[in-house]
Amino acid sequence: MAITLYHNPRCSKSRQALALLEEHGAEVNIRRYLDEPLSEEELRDLMSRLDADGERLVRTQEPEWQEIDETDLQDQEQVIRAIVSHPKLMERPIADDGKRAVIGRPPEDVLALIHVND
């Protein structure tokens, strides 16, 4: 089964995660989420497979996050709306095999999907 990597090629962690997946022979579909942002529905689906809450999914140090009023990291819908409006806010990389998704922080965490599928 292919793994979708939500990828930003300018991010060293994202590049490292991609290299690790490829080194381990994973079939990787790259989604450059800044060029092709996720819809609200796609984000809901992705979040349902993540072993993380909204706090881990959002890059809270980004200026775009600081500008958003009344944002609650525990409110999934607010997190989704923020990321849809500002795709840069989504943490990266995220690897998703369709059943489970993991945030690649550290990049080695994406290898959990390969071991689950073996």
Side-chain angles (χ1 to χ4, degrees):
M1 176 178 283
I3 294 173
T4 299
L5 184 67
Y6 296 92
H7 180 61
N8 178 350
R10 295 186 60 183
C11 171
S12 64
K13 301 290 185 204
S14 194
R15 291 191 308 269
Q16 290 170 11
L18 176 58
L20 284 167
L21 290 169
E22 290 176 340
E23 286 170 17
H24 285 82
E27 179 184 341
V28 181
N29 295 322
I30 296 172
R31 173 126 179 219
R32 294 175 66 160
Y33 66 92
L34 294 176
D35 297 332
E36 186 185 342
L38 282 75
S39 68
E40 286 186 18
E41 182 177 331
E42 288 174 311
L43 273 168
R44 276 187 205 94
D45 288 344
L46 180 62
M47 287 178 79
S48 73
R49 293 187 295 278
L50 274 170
D51 293 335
D53 55 22
E55 189 170 349
R56 287 218 42 229
L57 187 61
V58 175
R59 299 175 57 81
T60 58
Q61 300 306 311
E62 295 290 340
E64 292 85 353
W65 181 256
Q66 306 303 320
E67 294 170 7
I68 297 173
D69 292 330
E70 298 180 39
T71 304
D72 179 1
L73 286 167
Q74 302 307 311
D75 183 334
Q76 179 175 321
E77 290 303 310
Q78 283 189 16
V79 168
I80 288 169
R81 285 191 301 274
I83 293 172
V84 166
S85 296
H86 306 282
K88 182 180 180 182
L89 292 176
M90 189 170 86
E91 186 59 270
R92 73 239 179 195
I94 297 175
D96 179 13
D97 68 3
K99 295 179 186 170
R100 182 172 171 224
V102 295
I103 296 173
R105 295 282 174 155
E108 294 79 14
D109 285 358
V110 300
L111 296 178
L113 295 182
I114 294 173
H115 300 295
V116 169
N117 291 333
D118 285 346

